[in-house]
Amino acid sequence: MLGRDKKNTGSAAFAHTLIADGTEIKGDILFTGGLHVQGKVVGNISAESDQGQLIIGETGSVEGEVKVPRVVINGHINGNVHSS
């Protein structure tokens, strides 16, 4: 498109995913970029690269192991957390 800046390389490192309040996911999650959990995850969460950031919102909960480079926890995690 005319006038559109093409600085985005198409890399998944800039992808952000939201698991909204009222949503429940059962199973392991492997992500790149950012993951914001406001709902419930029953399973393990890990980042595919050293660029991943996980945010557990106030209404968010995780039942499983978390392995991410950066994590912000305002909700609940029932499991081990590994973060650098």
Side-chain angles (χ1 to χ4, degrees):
M1 292 177 84
L2 293 176
R4 191 158 185 176
D5 194 0
K6 295 195 176 204
K7 290 182 183 177
N8 186 355
T9 61
S11 172
F14 299 105
H16 298 282
T17 302
L18 169 66
I19 299 172
D21 190 14
T23 302
E24 181 174 332
I25 294 181
K26 293 181 181 180
D28 295 342
I29 297 174
L30 177 64
F31 73 96
T32 58
L35 175 62
H36 193 140
V37 178
Q38 291 284 25
K40 182 177 182 178
V41 174
V42 179
N44 302 321
I45 299 177
S46 57
E48 192 170 45
S49 70
D50 61 354
Q51 301 295 318
Q53 178 175 349
L54 172 65
I55 299 173
I56 308 295
E58 291 180 6
T59 60
S61 68
V62 176
E63 293 181 20
E65 188 171 34
V66 173
K67 293 182 180 179
V68 295
R70 291 181 303 276
V71 63
V72 177
I73 304 169
N74 293 317
H76 302 282
I77 296 180
N78 184 9
N80 295 326
V81 177
H82 307 271
S83 180
S84 57

